[in-house]
Amino acid sequence: MEGKSSRQEQALVRREQLVDTALALFSKQGYDATSIKQIAAAEGVAVGLLYHYFPSKSAVMRAIWERHSFLPELRALLLVEHNETAERVLRDVAERFSAMLAHKEALFRLMVRESQSNPEVADCLHTIVEEGIKALGAYLERRVHLGELRPHDTALTARTLLGTVLTTHLARLPIRPWAELVAQLLHGISRHSDHVRPGQD
Amino acid sequence: MEGKSSRQEQALVRREQLVDTALALFSKQGYDATSIKQIAAAEGVAVGLLYHYFPSKSAVMRAIWERHSFLPELRALLLVEHNETAERVLRDVAERFSAMLAHKEALFRLMVRESQSNPEVADCLHTIVEEGIKALGAYLERRVHLGELRPHDTALTARTLLGTVLTTHLARLPIRPWAELVAQLLHGISRHSDHVRPGQD
Amino acid sequence: MEGKSSRQEQALVRREQLVDTALALFSKQGYDATSIKQIAAAEGVAVGLLYHYFPSKSAVMRAIWERHSFLPELRALLLVEHNETAERVLRDVAERFSAMLAHKEALFRLMVRESQSNPEVADCLHTIVEEGIKALGAYLERRVHLGELRPHDTALTARTLLGTVLTTHLARLPIRPWAELVAQLLHGISRHSDHVRPGQD
Amino acid sequence: MEGKSSRQEQALVRREQLVDTALALFSKQGYDATSIKQIAAAEGVAVGLLYHYFPSKSAVMRAIWERHSFLPELRALLLVEHNETAERVLRDVAERFSAMLAHKEALFRLMVRESQSNPEVADCLHTIVEEGIKALGAYLERRVHLGELRPHDTALTARTLLGTVLTTHLARLPIRPWAELVAQLLHGISRHSDHVRPGQD
DNA sequence: TATGAATGAGTGTTCATTCAT
DNA sequence: AATGAATGAACACTCATTCAT
């Protein structure tokens, strides 16, 4: 089981350390404002070594996306039990999504930042968002069929839940317990919320 | 008697054109990735002329903020009539906020982008968000006292409305009619939304 | 006697002021490190106006030399009464040369500085020095013929006197009463020195 | 066993060559009028390499001072044998000082030039001059106590000797045998001067 | 694996100079 | 006489990248 020599292991470890160091710097200063020299210095190695592990600066960026992709984590997070109540599922998703954003803050900020100019990153972010909305929307659709929820624009609800959590982290607003958000989404804030809503058929 | 010679006027016009050109480029490529040379070339003037109007590259950025500040527009947008119904006011705010983001997309993207590394911009964005939440929250509070809305976390509702609109624009999702979002927020999506909601007192 | 219109007069005055301002700045910072913009700003006028009075930056430098030439002053200073005693003449020359250096310090420093790289200035300085040595040497030669001084290398004595005063100003050493220097020099070249000096015939 | 790889050695050699090249150019044209590009071209290397060895242009200047300091050489030159006669010591000092100025002409001219605007360099030059005067003055003082010389302003004599040599080099005057200067100075300060000098007590 | 010397195009910025007003 | 908008080459300095060791 020890399959790897310590040389190989060490090399892999170093590569991962370089990726992490680069992520931290890119996230704080931006990709353009971070130099290869800075990354090497932060890691305590010579500039040339970076080019031993990565063919270029943009390859370091790509390695970041590969190593720290949002998608698997997000997918796992959205694999909800369709038999659980909406309240529980929505609260769970909100809290886990929030926790993920907090945990991967550097990556998240880097993505938001670079997606404005890098189309590849923009696509990646777009996919993530759409997939999240689709998965959560599909679950909500099922709860509608089961009669727990009214017929409604489920994609919009998913967008509202995920978007609110995301905006909160992006703007560094205080993180409140997400149960309250879920409650508002489920039951509304109108005093007479039971009657037929106008503008919806 | 109009006080300005055509020479002075022309200079002011050129200054404003430079600011706009810089905004467009900064927004598309980012501040760091945009060179002074590019801005000058896009405007069809020599590099040195930029330094005749602005003492440095960062001063161009500052001129952008001064010329295109979000705040006044946002404040005007939040000066709502407190006697109007919540449905109408929320829909109005959502639509006008959405229109503003569409109209000032370049500036908005630049702010989001640079706020990640420029603390000054981050502060500015933070102020805008908090002010928006506060103003909209105050209105909602009043509707609660008037009995139109249930007692609830009004700041959270404001955050949800504005955050959802913002995320939609940020992620370039299709812009739906915002009335549906307002309806969901007001009345919820639960079939039995009339009874007392658990977890809220 | 009013021969000049006030416009012409004013223009001449402004020209002279510009030359003086330039001299002050060149002397303090050096010719290369001083910009046209700085000179204009120090005078409170627009850059273009400098080019109304002078065709180029180097022309400003030339105007300085023309306006503030050392030579006439130095020549006047060396027009000594050959019948006066050496002690009196040498003391007079030393004190007046020292006073001149103090009075025209800015010009003097500029000359020393620029003579290192500008051959024209170097020539000018060279001429001044040689002329000074020649004139003072001629006077000393006469005092030798009159029997007041021993036969000696009068050019060397002149060089010593002028060089010592010059070095003192250049190095910003304290200015002592120059009589003492003259006394020291004098009694080494006086006929009535104690005995025949070795190494001189 | 010699500790240094040829790579390291070569790097050190290159650094020193760059310093020397910079000294030659600075001395001829002045610090401000010499560009980094010129230095690199004169050495036949790329511009960037200069910044591999020095963090800035001014650091190149500092490296020049460190590598070619006058002080040690001047101090060695002033470590005279107090038992030797004044004639011999003064002649020795004058000749060795003159030789030093000839040998380090580039550095000497650079110092004089830049001391006019760079206070750090001015201080350095001032220290050198004062130290020289003090050391030579102390020696003369001793010869006074031994009765070889009359009581006199020894600092002034030192200033005269060093200043005359210095001025000669600065003004590119012909270098004469310094014995003659010493002879002139000496017989003005010898005890066996013919009579009490007026103006000194 | 790891170094750092070396490159040259690029950056933001300053400059002397011109010229329409 | 006086302004300041406009130019474009030059400046000090940084960068991603290469490669001999």
Side-chain angles (χ1 to χ4, degrees), chain B residues 13 31 33 44 51 58 67 72 78 100 102 104 107-108 117 124 127 153 167 174-175 179 186 189 192:
Chain B
V13 166
Y31 175 81
Y51 284 87
S58 63
R67 182 156 150 66
L78 291 167
M100 187 185 93
K104 299 217 162 181
L107 184 67
F108 162 60
S117 52
C124 181
T127 302
D153 184 338
T167 314
I175 314 294
L186 281 178
I189 57 174
H192 311 293

Side-chain angles (χ1 to χ4, degrees), chain C:
Chain C
M1 264 310 183
E2 297 168 8
K4 305 206 171 186
S5 80
S6 94
R7 276 279 286 279
Q8 282 177 313
E9 265 177 43
Q10 203 183 325
L12 280 176
V13 165
R14 170 136 290 175
R15 215 191 107 100
E16 290 186 354
Q17 281 175 336
L18 284 169
V19 169
D20 289 347
T21 301
L23 169 55
L25 289 170
F26 285 169
S27 163
K28 206 191 303 167
Q29 310 169 340
Y31 174 81
D32 292 303
T34 303
S35 72
I36 290 285
K37 207 175 178 180
Q38 264 183 300
I39 302 173
E43 190 67 19
V45 299
V47 202
L49 191 57
L50 254 136
Y51 284 85
H52 185 73
Y53 289 105
F54 310 95
S56 70
K57 186 183 179 185
S58 62
V60 178
M61 184 72 122
R62 276 195 300 277
I64 290 176
W65 302 138
E66 279 159 23
R67 179 156 151 66
H68 291 283
S69 172
F70 261 145
L71 263 174
E73 203 158 344
L74 189 74
R75 278 176 188 144
L77 183 153
L78 290 166
L79 277 180
V80 297
E81 178 56 66
H82 279 222
N83 293 333
E84 297 283 355
T85 63
E87 172 151 30
R88 171 145 185 198
V89 165
L90 291 181
R91 203 182 53 210
D92 249 37
V93 166
E95 265 156 19
R96 287 157 71 192
F97 184 50
S98 182
M100 187 186 91
L101 290 179
H103 183 239
K104 299 217 161 182
E105 190 186 341
L107 184 68
F108 161 60
R109 291 196 180 279
L110 179 56
M111 276 193 99
V112 169
R113 198 190 155 101
E114 298 307 324
S115 70
Q116 310 292 327
S117 53
N118 187 332
E120 217 173 321
V121 181
D123 272 6
C124 181
L125 198 56
H126 202 77
T127 302
I128 286 175
V129 169
E130 287 202 322
E131 204 164 313
I133 290 172
K134 198 174 149 195
L136 199 53
Y139 163 79
L140 290 171
E141 210 64 53
R142 182 167 166 82
R143 300 319 287 182
V144 169
H145 287 143
L146 288 175
E148 183 187 356
L149 303 179
R150 302 183 193 170
H152 67 287
D153 185 338
T154 51
L156 178 59
T157 308
R159 193 199 285 189
T160 304
L161 183 79
L162 298 174
T164 303
V165 173
L166 197 143
T167 315
T168 298
H169 282 265
L170 191 64
R172 299 182 208 266
L173 295 173
I175 314 293
R176 315 236 191 149
W178 294 112
E180 171 65 17
L181 171 62
V182 171
Q184 285 192 9
L185 289 179
L186 214 50
H187 296 281
I189 58 175
S190 157
R191 172 165 297 281
H192 309 293
S193 185
D194 53 326
H195 57 327
V196 175
R197 287 174 299 139
Q200 164 119 1
D201 50 342

Side-chain angles (χ1 to χ4, degrees), chain A residues 24-141:
Chain A
L25 290 170
F26 285 169
S27 164
K28 208 190 303 166
Q29 310 170 339
Y31 174 81
D32 292 304
T34 303
S35 71
I36 289 284
K37 208 175 177 181
Q38 264 182 299
I39 302 173
E43 190 69 19
V45 300
V47 202
L49 192 56
L50 255 136
Y51 284 85
H52 185 74
Y53 288 105
F54 310 96
S56 70
K57 188 184 178 184
S58 62
V60 178
M61 184 72 121
R62 277 195 299 277
I64 290 176
W65 302 138
E66 280 159 23
R67 178 158 153 67
H68 291 284
S69 172
F70 261 146
L71 263 174
E73 204 157 342
L74 189 75
R75 279 176 186 146
L77 183 154
L78 291 166
L79 279 179
V80 296
E81 176 56 65
H82 279 222
N83 294 332
E84 296 283 357
T85 64
E87 173 153 27
R88 171 146 183 197
V89 164
L90 291 181
R91 205 182 53 210
D92 247 38
V93 166
E95 264 158 18
R96 285 155 73 191
F97 185 50
S98 183
M100 187 186 93
L101 289 179
H103 183 238
K104 298 216 162 183
E105 189 186 342
L107 184 68
F108 161 60
R109 291 195 180 280
L110 179 56
M111 276 193 100
V112 168
R113 198 190 155 102
E114 298 306 325
S115 70
Q116 311 291 329
S117 53
N118 187 332
E120 217 172 322
V121 181
D123 273 6
C124 181
L125 198 55
H126 201 77
T127 303
I128 286 176
V129 169
E130 288 202 322
E131 204 163 315
I133 291 172
K134 199 174 148 195
L136 200 52
Y139 163 79
L140 290 171
E141 212 64 53

Side-chain angles (χ1 to χ4, degrees), chain D residues 7 14 46 48-49 52-53:
Chain D
R7 192 119 165 279
R14 169 134 292 172
L49 191 57
H52 185 69
Y53 288 106

Side-chain angles (χ1 to χ4, degrees), chain D residues 37-58:
Chain D
K37 209 174 180 179
Q38 266 183 301
I39 302 174
E43 189 69 18
V45 299
V47 200
L49 191 57
L50 254 138
Y51 286 88
H52 185 69
Y53 288 106
F54 310 96
S56 68
K57 188 184 179 184
S58 63

Side-chain angles (χ1 to χ4, degrees), chain A residues 1 4 22 48 50 74 90 108 128 141 145 148 157 170 182:
Chain A
M1 267 306 184
K4 305 206 171 187
L50 255 136
L74 189 75
L90 291 181
F108 161 60
I128 286 176
E141 212 64 53
H145 286 145
E148 183 189 356
T157 309
L170 191 64
V182 171

